[in-house]
């Protein structure tokens, strides 16, 4: 067994995650489904519980003590998200229901300004959540969708992308880290090229924020979305970052309470950012819990997490590649610790099931990226996705379990 | 009990490795497609039913996991020579078996070799895999062209 890089506090991190202390039958849990959702540190669980126990109240409107405490905690989480992304202004942080919620918000509110013939560039690598809202927008407006192809090793074909950019391009919406291939896309370069043509860029950072520092000002992205639950926070909450002037110019998405300054029966004056895009009572506990999660990862340091996961990726990839019959999908030079693979003669669901019987949790399926599966001519893959609390010993348990599958189906 | 005792019994692994009757059927009188949109498994099931209402041949083509493939393979063997009424009866019995309700629904002896699927109910995510081709078979007999595990079950 190889040990972790010196100085990385793996034992302390693992101790912070109560779910990791479980056994699945006779086996210790080996949780390698982090691209689906991450486990939660005790501090997040405690923060959510404390909110419900001690300060459960609605925000932004109560004069009473509990409401003020809840509002402070909620707005405190906005400051934390601002710092986490290095956004220039706190009003650029919109709390959403998750990545999907953020993408739909932009598709509606930014999309309201598009007309027939305007072009949106997506990629073949997108999660369904970054495809379907744009298809729906296309059907409403007559705008045109174009798709950056994927190369054989799982990279975006940037030459094809450059050739797609033109005077009609209004928006480029691309994934930072592919959830099914693990590819880390060169989003800064993609953004520069789009800006040179006057197009805006949305970055789906759902898989990026848990494993690498993301700085929206350095990237110069126009929009960026992520989910709380993939970055060790609660489900049902996420963040949309948008440049202030862009968000300010966009019409609201959902109408309702909290997004208004005044309402008569005939008309409404909308609230300023960020409230304009936060209609209704939000997932208050979730947002506060997300704040605790962002504190947690910042405490570890995403540079250190990235280095740890790069070690895991290289190690686990080598172990799997050494098993005859294993084929890896997504072999780009820049990758996160998401490893998609198939085993000759064995359906990925059977791999997932048998791995589970050995305590190893992976995902099997199309990973909400059916066009990626179609691109590679396969129905599904098994996917092992590592996080900051995973170890090289767990990578070894994965490989050993895959060998057992192979033996069983031989 | 391990997963190989309960779910991946040798009979199932054998049918997965060498599926029987896995082909299209040129003289099919009934056919229907079964899809599981959650996992992408899909099979088209073909039946040749003669004038007397006897199922002469059952075949299928498509792709899916070991459970769904072995289930289709064993179904194709179990139904040959049965009447349409018997096929419906076997559907009900098999469906009850994979939902873990076999005792309540039918004398288990009717199922014969199909009892290797008796452990499936312990794995709720896999019940649809085992039932997929059976739902397609039922749709075919009922004259419906397509079925989805999201509608059935």
């Amino acid at each position: 067994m190889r040990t972790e890089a010196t100085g990385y506090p793996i034992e302390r991190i693992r101790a912070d995650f109560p779910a990791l202390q479980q056994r699945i039958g006779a086996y210790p849990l080996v949780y390698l489904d982090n691209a689906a959702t991450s486990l939660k540190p005790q501090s997040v669980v405690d923060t959510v519980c404390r909110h419900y126990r001690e300060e459960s109240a609605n925000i932004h409107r109560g004069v009473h003590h509990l409401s003020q405490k809840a509002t402070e905690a909620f707005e405190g989480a906005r400051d934390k998200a601002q710092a986490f992304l290095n956004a220039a202004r706190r009003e650029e942080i919109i709390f959403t229901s998750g990545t999907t919620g953020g993408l739909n918000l932009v598709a509606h509110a930014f999309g309201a300004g598009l007309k027939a013939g305007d072009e949106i560039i997506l990629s073949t690598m997108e999660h369904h959540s970054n495809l379907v809202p744009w298809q729906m927008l296309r059907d409403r407006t007559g705008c045109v969708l174009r798709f950056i192809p994927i190369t054989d090793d799982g990279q975006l074909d940037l030459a094809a992308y450059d050739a797609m950019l033109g005077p009609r391009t209004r928006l480029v919406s691309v994934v930072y880290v592919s959830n099914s291939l693990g590819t880390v896309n060169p989003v800064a370069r993609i953004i520069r090229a789009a800006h040179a043509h006057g197009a805006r860029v949305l970055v789906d950072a759902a898989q990026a924020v848990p494993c690498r520092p993301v700085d929206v000002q350095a990237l110069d992205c126009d929009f960026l979305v992520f989910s709380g639950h993939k970055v060790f926070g609660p489900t049902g909450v996420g963040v949309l970052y948008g440049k202030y002037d862009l968000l300010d110019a966009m019409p609201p998405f959902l109408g309702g309470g909290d997004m208004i300054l005044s309402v008569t029966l005939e008309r409404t004056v909308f609230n300023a950012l960020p409230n304009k895009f936060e209609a209704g009572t939000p997932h208050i506990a979730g947002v506060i819990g997300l704040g605790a999660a962002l504190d947690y990862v910042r405490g570890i340091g995403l540079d250190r997490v990235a280095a740890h996961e790069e070690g895991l990726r290289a190690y686990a990839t080598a172990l799997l590649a050494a098993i005859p019959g294993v084929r890896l999908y997504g072999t780009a030079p820049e990758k996160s610790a998401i490893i998609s693979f198939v085993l000759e003669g064995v359906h990925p669901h059977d791999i997932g099931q048998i791995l589970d019987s050995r305590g190893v949790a992976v995902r099997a399926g199309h990973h909400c990226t059916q066009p990626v599966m179609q691109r590679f001519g396969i129905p599904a893959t098994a996917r092992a996705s590592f996080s900051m609390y995973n170890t090289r010993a767990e990578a070894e348990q994965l490989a050993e379990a895959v060998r057992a599958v192979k033996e069983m189906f031989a | 009990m391990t997963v190989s005792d309960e779910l991946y019994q040798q009979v199932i692994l054998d049918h997965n490795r060498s599926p029987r009757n896995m082909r299209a059927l040129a003289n099919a009188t009934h056919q229907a497609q079964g899809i599981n949109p959650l996992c992408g498994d899909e099979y088209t099931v073909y039946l040749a039913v003669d004038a007397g209402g006897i199922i002469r041949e059952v075949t299928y083509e498509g792709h899916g996991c070991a459970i769904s493939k072995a289930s289709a393979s064993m179904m194709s063997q179990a139904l040959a020579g049965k009447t349409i009424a018997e096929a419906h009866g076997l559907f009900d019995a098999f469906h009850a078996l994979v939902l873990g309700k076999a005792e309540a629904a039918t004398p288990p002896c009717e199922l014969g070799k199909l009892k290797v699927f008796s452990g499936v109910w312990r794995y709720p995510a896999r019940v649809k895999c085992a039932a997929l081709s059976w739902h397609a078979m039922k749709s075919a007999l009922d004259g419906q062209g397509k079925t989805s595990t999201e509608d059935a079950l």
Side-chain angles (χ1 to χ4, degrees), chain A residues 77-163:
Chain A
R78 197 183 310 277
D79 296 332
K80 291 172 186 186
Q82 180 197 352
F84 183 73
L85 294 177
N86 190 32
R89 302 176 61 164
R90 66 188 310 281
E91 296 88 348
E92 295 177 325
I93 302 296
I94 311 294
F95 288 117
T96 65
S97 60
T99 299
T100 300
L103 289 164
N104 277 276
L105 191 161
V106 177
H108 277 266
F110 181 82
L114 299 195
K115 56 187 186 305
D118 284 346
E119 292 185 3
I120 297 174
I121 297 178
L122 309 169
S123 88
T124 311
M125 201 184 284
E126 301 310 313
H127 189 280
H128 296 165
S129 61
N130 198 20
L131 291 172
V132 183
W134 306 112
Q135 293 173 357
M136 292 163 72
L137 175 67
R138 175 201 60 198
D139 294 346
R140 288 195 300 274
T141 62
C143 68
V144 175
L145 306 183
R146 309 193 67 179
F147 303 95
I148 310 168
I150 305 176
T151 63
D152 287 343
D153 64 354
Q155 300 187 67
L156 293 181
D157 181 340
L158 293 177
Y161 165 64
D162 287 341

Side-chain angles (χ1 to χ4, degrees), chain A residues 27-349:
Chain A
Y27 295 86
L29 169 65
V30 177
Y31 187 77
L32 300 178
D33 196 18
N34 294 286
T37 196
S38 59
L39 304 177
K40 319 305 172 199
Q42 188 66 48
S43 62
V44 169
V45 177
D46 289 344
T47 299
V48 171
C49 287
R50 189 168 53 245
H51 167 74
Y52 282 125
R53 213 169 45 230
E54 297 173 9
E55 60 186 28
S56 181
N58 214 326
I59 53 169
H60 294 158
R61 60 201 106 189
V63 293
H64 60 77
H65 181 73
L66 292 189
S67 175
Q68 284 171 15
K69 277 186 75 174
T71 302
E72 275 167 30
F74 185 90
E75 291 303 328
R78 197 183 310 277
D79 296 332
K80 291 172 186 186
Q82 180 197 352
F84 183 73
L85 294 177
N86 190 32
R89 302 176 61 164
R90 66 188 310 281
E91 296 88 348
E92 295 177 325
I93 302 296
I94 311 294
F95 288 117
T96 65
S97 60
T99 299
T100 300
L103 289 164
N104 277 276
L105 191 161
V106 177
H108 277 266
F110 181 82
L114 299 195
K115 56 187 186 305
D118 284 346
E119 292 185 3
I120 297 174
I121 297 178
L122 309 169
S123 88
T124 311
M125 201 184 284
E126 301 310 313
H127 189 280
H128 296 165
S129 61
N130 198 20
L131 291 172
V132 183
W134 306 112
Q135 293 173 357
M136 292 163 72
L137 175 67
R138 175 201 60 198
D139 294 346
R140 288 195 300 274
T141 62
C143 68
V144 175
L145 306 183
R146 309 193 67 179
F147 303 95
I148 310 168
I150 305 176
T151 63
D152 287 343
D153 64 354
Q155 300 187 67
L156 293 181
D157 181 340
L158 293 177
Y161 165 64
D162 287 341
M164 278 176 201
L165 287 164
R168 313 210 71 170
T169 311
R170 298 291 308 280
L171 181 73
V172 177
S173 188
V174 289
V175 67
Y176 197 154
V177 174
S178 160
N179 74 309
S180 53
L181 298 171
T183 312
V184 179
N185 289 315
V187 286
R189 183 243 183 262
I190 288 169
I191 292 163
R192 276 196 307 276
H195 285 173
H197 287 82
R200 301 298 183 177
V201 182
L202 189 163
V203 174
D204 168 2
Q207 301 291 347
V209 294
C211 65
R212 54 181 43 237
V214 173
D215 179 330
V216 290
Q217 294 191 76
L219 287 175
D220 197 26
C221 54
D222 299 289
F223 303 103
L224 181 139
V225 289
F226 71 88
S227 294
H229 72 96
K230 291 196 204 289
V231 62
F232 317 104
T235 54
V237 61
V239 167
L240 160 66
Y241 158 83
K243 285 181 180 166
Y244 186 91
D245 291 343
L246 272 174
L247 290 175
D248 196 44
M250 281 157 47
F253 172 34
L254 300 177
D258 226 30
M259 55 78 77
I260 56 96
L261 288 178
S262 69
V263 176
T264 67
L265 288 177
E266 303 304 330
R267 61 182 294 274
T268 294
V269 179
F270 301 128
N271 204 339
L273 293 174
N275 309 69
K276 181 172 91 173
F277 288 111
E278 293 180 356
T281 297
H283 184 2
I284 301 167
V287 166
I288 296 170
L290 172 57
L294 299 181
D295 281 344
Y296 186 84
V297 279
R298 280 166 62 89
I300 307 292
L302 277 162
D303 283 317
R304 287 208 292 176
V305 169
H308 173 68
E309 291 188 25
E310 171 55 19
L312 284 175
R313 182 202 62 75
Y315 188 55
T317 301
L319 289 177
L320 287 174
I323 301 172
V326 165
R327 202 160 61 244
L328 302 172
Y329 285 91
T331 51
E334 290 292 320
K335 273 200 63 175
S336 74
I338 292 173
I339 306 174
S340 251
F341 64 98
V342 299
L343 182 57
E344 203 180 309
V346 187
H347 194 282
H349 286 142

Side-chain angles (χ1 to χ4, degrees), chain B:
Chain B
M1 293 281 271
T2 68
V3 71
S4 50
D5 298 328
E6 281 191 326
L7 202 53
Y8 295 101
Q9 300 191 31
Q10 278 309 319
V11 178
I12 290 177
L13 292 174
D14 173 61
H15 277 266
N16 175 58
R17 212 175 287 122
S18 330
R20 325 295 200 265
N21 305 314
M22 192 170 183
R23 60 178 183 275
L25 188 59
N27 62 336
T29 54
H30 300 70
Q31 74 177 68
Q33 190 188 28
I35 57 171
N36 182 343
L38 291 183
C39 64
D41 288 3
E42 58 177 76
Y43 291 94
T44 301
V45 173
Y46 305 88
L47 299 104
V49 181
D50 70 15
I54 306 291
I55 298 169
R56 288 299 167 196
E57 199 171 7
V58 181
T59 70
Y60 56 94
E61 55 184 357
H63 59 85
C65 63
I67 305 301
S68 66
K69 196 188 287 180
S71 174
S73 176
M74 294 181 72
M75 178 185 78
S76 74
Q77 293 184 314
L79 292 180
K82 296 276 194 296
T83 66
I84 288 176
E86 286 169 336
H88 280 298
L90 211 49
F91 173 90
D92 291 340
F94 186 80
H95 199 223
L97 177 83
V98 296
L99 287 174
K101 297 171 183 163
E103 285 77 10
T106 181
C109 57
E110 271 184 40
L111 286 162
K113 288 180 189 166
L114 295 171
K115 280 187 288 187
V116 294
F117 292 96
S118 63
V120 171
W121 68 272
R122 275 184 247 275
Y123 301 85
R126 309 309 295 278
V127 170
K128 288 176 178 180
C129 307
L132 181 57
S133 60
W134 286 83
H135 281 293
M137 179 277 293
K138 189 176 185 311
S139 292
L141 289 180
D142 293 345
Q144 296 159 357
K146 201 166 184 175
T147 185
S148 160
T149 55
E150 294 310 281
D151 312 323
L153 249 151

